[in-house]
Structures are given as C-alpha cells and as structure tokens.
Amino acid sequence: EKFDIVKKWGINTYKCTKQLLSERFGRGSRTVDLELETQIELLRETKRKYESVLQLARALTSHLYSLVQTQHALGDAFADLSQKSPELQEEFGYNAETQKLLCKNGETLLGAVNFFVSSINTLVNKTMEDTLMTVKQYETARLEYDAYRTDLEELSMGPRDAGAVSRLDAAQSQFQSHKDKYEKLRADVAIKLKFLEENKIKVMHKQLLLFHNAISAYFAGNQQQLEQTLKQFNIKLKTPGTEKPSWLEEQ
C-alpha cells in the first residue's frame, strides 16, 4: 500500500514537473481564468500594501509608547522639583500637570492605535492568508489538471491497440478526477475572494475612521473627543505600568 502511494506521488510529481517546465519554456498550453487570476494578483498586491501599513503602524505605536514614557518621567521630575524649589514651585507645578495630561492622552491614543494594529494584523495575516492558502491549493490543482489533460491529449493521438485503449481509459478517469478538483477549488477561490473583499471594506471602514478620529483628537488636544472615540469603538485601557507597548484590552 505504501509502495502504491509513493508510486502515485512519483508519477504525479513527474507529470506536474513536466507540465510546469513545458509552460515556462512556452511549449505547453496552460488553462487560464483571466478574471480570477486578475483578482488573485490584486489580492497579493493589496496584501503587500497592507503589510507596509501594518509595519508603519507598529512603528508609530513604538514611538508613541516611548513618548508617553518620557512624558511620564518628565512629569514626575517636574513634580519633584516643584516640591523642592519654592521659588519655582508654580512653574514646575503647571509643567508637571501638563506632562501628566499629555501622558494620559498619549495612553488613550496608544489604545486606539493598538486596536487599529490588531485589526489590520488579523485582516492581513489571518483572513487574507487563509484565502491565499486556498489560492495555492487552486494553483496546484490547475497545474495537475493541465498535466493530466496534456497526458490524455497525447494518448488520444497515439495508436489504438488493446494496451493503448486501456491506458486511455485510465488517463480519462484520472483527468476527470483532477478536472473536478480544479473546478471545485476554482469555485472556492471565487467565493472566498468575494467574501474577503466585503470583509476588507467593512473592517477598513471602521478602522480608518477610528484612526482618523483618534489622531485628530490627540493632536488637537481634545481629550473629551479622544476618550469618546475609544468608547465609540468599545476599546478599554488597562491600568498603566503593565507590559510594553500598550495597556490595551480589546473588546
């Protein structure tokens, strides 16, 4: 039984390798679904661009975390000097309060940006990747389908003695099996691409609105709007002083 499995695998590998080389050197024909392959290429390009956005958003998170930590330390230093410098108590005092407020707003912004990062990461590395795994299965099935189609066509043009007829029947059966597999996976990819596009639009509409509102409120110094943005998207913050890079708890 193991020998038969290895034998079938070897024959399949040989046929697929032969077909692949034939396509690359322009000698063999290749089944092309132009509309589907255009959508697949668009998905791969979109994934590359979203990965770039994800990398930049993670860098922003890291920089914001460092800024908040610096503001926190600076606020503590000003507060300490306010107690020990009577002649500058008021000046150190309001600078300490300002840094504490900026630190609080920074922590709130971190929560929003981390939520954005988490959502984009899920979209790119889970949702899109899942669809691309099905695409890879489809591309393998397409290669196998063409390999067995080519094999069947070559046998069909040969002599029709008893042995050839038997080989032709076997080739026809194998071809039909690979054709069914190819057509099923082609349909699966088309459905997944459709649902992925709908999901991407839904997710990105929400996340881009969150990112815009949070960034705008932060740099406008609008603490109330910043906090309202987190409430709007059901984002809760953990108690400060836990682990880098944020105190985000997603709902």
Side-chain angles (χ1 to χ4, degrees), residues 84-100:
K84 298 176 181 178
S85 307
E87 70 283 0
L88 293 170
Q89 183 176 14
E90 183 178 349
E91 288 83 350
F92 276 127
Y94 60 63
N95 272 284
E97 290 301 317
T98 298
Q99 292 302 316
K100 287 179 182 179

Side-chain angles (χ1 to χ4, degrees), residues 60-224:
L60 178 62
T61 301
S62 179
H63 296 321
L64 283 172
Y65 177 81
S66 297
L67 176 62
V68 168
Q69 292 299 97
T70 302
Q71 288 172 332
H72 189 276
L74 191 57
D76 287 345
F78 283 152
D80 181 59
L81 285 166
S82 176
Q83 298 296 320
K84 298 176 181 178
S85 307
E87 70 283 0
L88 293 170
Q89 183 176 14
E90 183 178 349
E91 288 83 350
F92 276 127
Y94 60 63
N95 272 284
E97 290 301 317
T98 298
Q99 292 302 316
K100 287 179 182 179
L101 176 61
L102 290 172
C103 187
K104 184 177 186 299
N105 288 347
E107 291 166 3
T108 307
L109 179 62
L110 265 174
V113 176
N114 269 287
F115 188 81
F116 176 85
V117 167
S118 176
S119 298
I120 303 303
N121 181 62
T122 299
L123 178 63
V124 171
N125 293 313
K126 292 185 179 179
T127 312
M128 288 185 179
E129 188 60 32
D130 175 71
T131 300
L132 286 171
M133 286 296 294
T134 305
V135 166
K136 289 176 183 176
Q137 293 172 359
Y138 157 73
E139 290 173 339
T140 299
R142 195 283 306 163
L143 182 63
E144 290 175 342
Y145 164 70
D146 279 336
Y148 283 88
R149 174 183 57 77
T150 300
D151 191 46
L152 179 62
E153 290 171 353
E154 290 176 353
L155 285 172
S156 298
M157 292 185 291
R160 293 302 180 90
D161 54 42
V165 171
S166 176
R167 290 193 297 274
L168 188 61
D169 288 342
Q172 179 66 49
S173 176
Q174 291 175 330
F175 164 74
Q176 189 60 48
S177 174
H178 285 287
K179 181 181 178 184
D180 292 342
K181 180 182 177 182
Y182 163 71
E183 289 179 345
K184 179 184 181 303
L185 281 165
R186 181 173 61 180
D188 288 347
V189 169
I191 291 170
K192 283 202 170 188
L193 285 170
K194 180 178 180 294
F195 285 128
L196 173 60
E197 183 64 19
E198 293 173 355
N199 185 51
K200 183 192 74 175
I201 292 171
K202 181 180 178 181
V203 168
M204 292 308 297
H205 175 77
K206 175 181 177 180
Q207 294 305 317
L208 291 171
L209 183 62
L210 161 68
F211 192 84
H212 174 270
N213 289 353
I215 292 287
S216 298
Y218 175 80
F219 284 101
N222 192 333
Q223 182 180 356
Q224 184 178 358

